[in-house]
Amino acid sequence: MAAPDHWTLLEVLRYRLGLTGSKQGCDKGDCGACTVLIEGRPVLSCLTLAARCQGLRVTTIEGLMPAHRAAGGEGADPVQEAFDRCGALQCGFCQPGMILSARALLNESPSPTREEIRAALAGNLCRCTGYTQIVQAVELCLAEAVGAEPPAPAWAPEANPWKTAPPKTRRPGAEKPERPERPERKGEG
Ligand code: FES
Ligand code: FES
């Protein structure tokens, strides 16, 4: 991939490769919207020269689900699925970076505390909503990874919806869930 020497990784991703999931927010290292993973670690692509990434594995938001499936999983990456289930639905500017920072944290640390989750996401700014459901999504993901009961969300403290709504995704190496048999319909056969 040819690009001028001074181009950042973000510029190459967006303007050479057409991968527009990584956002050009502040373009100066303040907002986290451009976060990608390099060899599994979160990096601000607006501050990273593309030339320094040659030969390294770069994962953008577009690559997260394919990477999960290539590793033997099904559906979306569990972090993406957890964001969806928790209603941690941010705008298209901040969400890709949030999800990748959360994925990087879970790759590194199997059981981070709530403070560590908040610290890992501190560089991903949302200018309009809050962070409660994002932290919940990471905690849901953590609990399901070890088969523990997920903490009830603040908006449903008694009727914990996560107990009765298992994820559609499947982690690499996890057994396939048994599907209930489809009842025979009249006239079939
Ligand atoms: S666009 Fe890179 S930190 Fe804001
Ligand atoms: S900046 Fe994306 S939801 Fe606030």
Side-chain angles (χ1 to χ4, degrees):
M1 166 65 48
D5 287 348
H6 64 279
W7 273 32
T8 63
L9 176 58
L10 180 62
E11 289 170 320
V12 169
L13 290 171
R14 291 183 59 86
Y15 307 123
R16 277 282 195 269
L17 297 173
L19 297 171
T20 54
S22 309
K23 296 298 184 288
Q24 198 161 15
C26 63
D27 216 19
K28 59 187 178 70
D30 283 345
C31 72
C34 64
T35 303
V36 300
L37 304 184
I38 296 185
E39 300 296 343
R41 296 182 169 233
V43 167
L44 297 176
S45 61
C46 73
L47 296 185
T48 305
L49 278 178
R52 303 198 69 170
C53 302
Q54 281 184 33
L56 300 179
R57 181 168 47 98
V58 177
T59 308
T60 66
I61 193 68
E62 291 92 341
L64 201 56
M65 185 161 86
H68 169 67
R69 293 185 175 191
E74 272 180 18
D77 184 282
V79 175
Q80 291 173 306
E81 163 103 2
F83 268 63
D84 183 16
R85 290 160 71 211
C86 288
L89 301 171
Q90 308 288 111
C91 74
F93 259 85
C94 64
Q95 185 152 28
M98 299 251 188
I99 288 178
L100 287 168
S101 292
R103 169 41 66 208
L105 171 69
L106 298 182
N107 288 348
E108 282 273 308
S109 170
S111 54
T113 62
R114 184 167 289 182
E115 286 65 40
E116 288 167 335
I117 295 170
R118 286 190 178 280
L121 298 173
N124 294 93
L125 303 187
C126 166
R127 296 165 176 86
C128 40
T129 64
Y131 298 86
T132 303
Q133 276 140 300
I134 294 166
V135 173
Q136 268 171 6
V138 179
E139 290 179 338
L140 173 62
C141 220
L142 279 170
E144 289 182 337
V146 296
E149 185 172 307
W155 45 268
E158 277 154 28
N160 184 343
W162 312 140
K163 284 198 270 188
T164 50
K168 295 189 209 105
T169 188
R170 185 171 64 83
R171 290 160 200 275
E175 280 184 21
K176 277 198 176 200
E178 280 191 22
R179 304 242 180 258
E181 272 186 33
R182 191 163 65 99
E184 206 173 290
R185 283 191 302 194
K186 277 189 187 155
E188 260 186 8

